[in-house]
Amino acid sequence: MIQYDKDLFVRHLQGMVQIPTVSSADPEKTRVEEFQKLHAYLEEAYPLVHQTLKREVIGKCALLYTWKGTGKSEQLPLLMTAHQDVVPEGDHAMWTYPPFSAHLDENGIIWGRGTTDSKCNIQAYLDAIELLIADGFVPDYDLYLAFGYNEEIMGGKGAAGQILHDELQKRGVQLGMAIDECGGVSKNENGDYIATIFVAEKGYADHEFYIDDKGGHSAYPPLHTTLSRLGKAIYDLEKRRMQPHLCPPVIQQMKAEAPFEKGREKVYFSNPEAHEAEMIRLAETEKNYNQMVRTTTTPTMAKGSDQANILPEHASIITNSRILPGETLEQLEAHFRESVPEEVHFRLLKGHNPPAVSSTDSYGYHLLQEIMEEKYPGITFIPSMMAGGTDSRYYCDLSPSHSVYRFTGIFESGKSGGAHSVNEHIDSAILADNVDFYVRLFSKYGK
């Protein structure tokens, strides 16, 4: 029986977090040397993985591992994906412990940027494989690990997820299942175990809205400058939102959650189609309902002139949109054209349509259910839609069975959190449980 060394898992995650692999929106500013330090660390920490699997650096610093199986299984390969990069750490003075110290406190909490998002995934995959190799295991299927380096900037030019996808496609690889970050296991107030598995995610788009003018001295202002006219247009755009509606993955999620809800949510979620009008009314004031029932557009950045006494020649506002499954970038931009004045122009900075919704009736989905039922008898699976995004979207067209899932074996103890904010941290007590999930998955897949 495989023995789990919890202290070793802690040290491995600490070693990864201590390397500041911060991604950059500009591919030319990628801190390649930091990613190379991480690569060297992984090679040192996981000798059996690097002796057994083929490791390749793809693009600037993406990692692609290949474990060729015996070929006895009829299942298509399994892909595990995660990202090496982390978001910027922000103001160090606001952190309880330095953001790249990976400090382990007296309560067993590891503090640092990347502890939850998503170096814990890389650590769990590799520790599981290291243990399986030591135990003499050889898969009957092919296993791939794909670790990008700019997931946190949501694609754009030089997206590592796209580069890795293209490499697998060039080699003719099709996938039986792909697994990425997010999701996991929790316990509700009644003691029920709940597994949240994301089968869908919204699309993404950054747009620049702008007005150009001749500018001039602020002592001689027009009635409304480019900045004020643009601000008014974006305010009106906020009021004229995309039409709300319930899409299939949200309906599926609500019905699965209904038995655990109370009050109006229990009523609405039990029969979402019959209560669509009520939920749409709630979406006008409640942000959780709003993101579930519509494509959202949020102004996030603005710029006028470079000095207080200069009229802006180019006023711009950046918006971020999250597109519901079933809708498209083209529909979003048609809405923009109908909603803003002619003098307001816009351009797409980067974006993508929502990826395909994954199946809840596939070999892979049922295998996840089987494994989690073994670990947590009576557990309920909640197929859900993510408002955010992951690199998993790049691999959807490589899976003929529509089996791309965002799910981890992490049990939410209530002692982890802070992804993308200061004081990101993870409960070290859950690391072994996560490793155990992947040991089971790699052992059972393909049977």
Side-chain angles (χ1 to χ4, degrees):
M1 182 177 177
I2 292 177
Q3 298 295 313
Y4 298 141
D5 185 341
K6 298 178 183 179
D7 292 336
L8 180 64
F9 301 158
V10 168
R11 292 197 298 274
H12 282 167
L13 182 56
Q14 285 178 305
M16 295 180 202
V17 171
Q18 287 165 353
I19 302 169
T21 49
V22 179
S23 53
S24 172
D26 182 351
E28 298 307 312
K29 294 180 180 177
T30 300
R31 295 159 63 177
V32 175
E33 66 282 357
E34 298 296 345
F35 289 92
Q36 289 172 338
K37 288 177 189 175
L38 178 60
H39 299 175
Y41 175 75
L42 297 180
E43 194 167 0
E44 173 192 335
Y46 301 102
L48 297 181
V49 169
H50 289 81
Q51 291 166 22
T52 307
L53 280 65
K54 179 182 179 182
R55 191 203 78 170
E56 301 169 86
V57 178
I58 307 295
K60 286 184 180 293
C61 39
L63 290 177
L64 179 63
Y65 289 86
T66 306
W67 195 1
K68 296 297 290 184
T70 64
K72 294 178 183 177
S73 174
E74 295 181 356
Q75 285 297 328
L76 291 172
L78 173 63
L79 171 70
M80 310 300 296
T81 184
H83 57 92
Q84 307 167 66
D85 61 309
V86 300
V87 296
E89 64 273 24
D91 184 356
H92 285 220
M94 296 179 68
W95 285 76
T96 303
Y97 303 100
F100 296 109
S101 65
H103 177 81
L104 179 68
D105 72 15
E106 66 277 7
N107 297 311
I109 307 300
I110 308 172
W111 299 80
R113 177 62 80 225
T115 48
T116 63
D117 188 12
S118 74
K119 287 180 175 175
C120 61
N121 291 68
I122 296 175
Q123 171 265 314
Y125 300 165
L126 294 179
D127 271 308
I129 295 172
E130 188 83 1
L131 288 168
L132 285 167
I133 295 170
D135 198 50
F137 173 79
V138 179
D140 290 332
Y141 58 91
D142 293 344
L143 173 65
Y144 293 92
L145 309 176
F147 302 152
Y149 55 87
N150 51 16
E151 188 267 0
E152 292 292 8
I153 63 167
M154 288 301 292
K157 183 180 177 183
Q162 187 67 58
I163 295 168
L164 287 160
H165 162 276
D166 293 348
E167 186 62 34
L168 290 171
Q169 187 176 59
K170 185 172 73 176
R171 298 178 188 186
V173 175
Q174 288 197 306
L175 304 170
M177 181 164 66
I179 300 284
D180 203 348
E181 62 174 324
C182 299
V185 180
S186 60
K187 221 177 187 181
N188 67 14
E189 58 188 21
N190 297 323
D192 304 304
Y193 285 107
I194 308 294
T196 301
I197 179 168
F198 291 104
V199 298
E201 63 179 57
K202 284 184 156 185
Y204 180 101
D206 291 335
H207 285 87
E208 179 194 26
F209 288 80
Y210 61 94
I211 298 177
D212 291 325
D213 208 342
K214 60 184 179 181
H217 200 295
S218 63
Y220 302 92
L223 181 60
H224 298 294
T225 70
T226 54
L227 192 58
S228 62
R229 300 197 315 266
L230 180 60
K232 171 69 164 54
I234 298 301
Y235 177 78
D236 290 342
L237 178 63
E238 272 193 314
K239 291 196 296 183
R240 187 178 179 182
R241 297 178 288 180
M242 293 279 282
Q243 286 299 309
H245 64 94
L246 289 174
C247 63
V250 169
I251 292 172
Q252 185 180 43
Q253 176 181 338
M254 287 178 171
K255 287 181 176 179
E257 290 177 348
F260 308 102
E261 296 291 346
K262 296 178 180 178
R264 71 183 184 194
E265 276 73 24
K266 189 173 188 67
V267 174
Y268 295 167
F269 287 16
S270 296
N271 190 350
E273 296 95 332
H275 296 280
E276 183 172 12
E278 292 100 314
M279 288 188 281
I280 285 173
R281 279 197 294 273
L282 286 173
E284 296 305 306
T285 55
E286 297 190 19
K287 62 183 181 181
N288 188 49
Y289 277 102
N290 185 53
Q291 68 84 17
M292 293 177 79
V293 303
R294 65 157 47 90
T295 292
T296 59
T297 294
T298 309
T300 56
M301 303 166 70
K303 188 178 186 306
S305 67
D306 293 325
Q307 192 165 293
N309 60 354
I310 301 174
L311 296 175
E313 297 172 351
H314 177 84
S316 66
I317 291 177
I318 307 299
T319 64
N320 175 248
S321 299
R322 304 294 173 131
I323 306 167
L324 271 182
E327 296 185 354
T328 65
L329 266 170
E330 291 73 22
Q331 289 172 301
L332 175 65
E333 293 189 342
H335 172 72
F336 289 162
R337 282 190 287 273
E338 292 172 0
S339 303
V340 299
E342 230 176 77
E343 70 165 345
V344 177
H345 306 283
F346 64 86
R347 65 187 182 99
L348 178 66
L349 301 177
K350 63 182 176 186
H352 59 266
N353 285 319
V357 177
S358 292
S359 172
T360 56
D361 189 25
S362 67
Y363 165 78
Y365 193 88
H366 293 314
L367 177 60
L368 296 178
Q369 288 179 309
E370 176 188 323
I371 293 170
M372 300 315 291
E373 179 66 34
E374 286 179 357
K375 286 174 67 67
Y376 307 101
I379 193 169
T380 298
F381 260 58
I382 307 289
S384 303
M385 179 189 73
M386 280 187 68
T390 67
D391 272 349
S392 66
R393 68 183 182 277
Y394 291 107
Y395 305 104
C396 289
D397 68 332
L398 298 182
S399 176
S401 59
H402 305 293
S403 301
V404 177
Y405 304 110
R406 304 138 191 95
F407 182 71
T408 73
I410 288 178
F411 178 79
E412 181 47 63
S413 67
K415 299 178 181 178
S416 305
H420 287 221
S421 65
V422 298
N423 288 324
E424 184 178 351
H425 58 283
I426 194 167
D427 180 2
S428 66
I430 67 177
L431 300 186
D433 195 50
N434 201 26
V435 171
D436 177 67
F437 168 71
Y438 296 112
V439 167
R440 293 177 188 236
L441 175 61
F442 300 151
S443 300
K444 288 176 174 289
Y445 186 86
K447 300 296 185 185

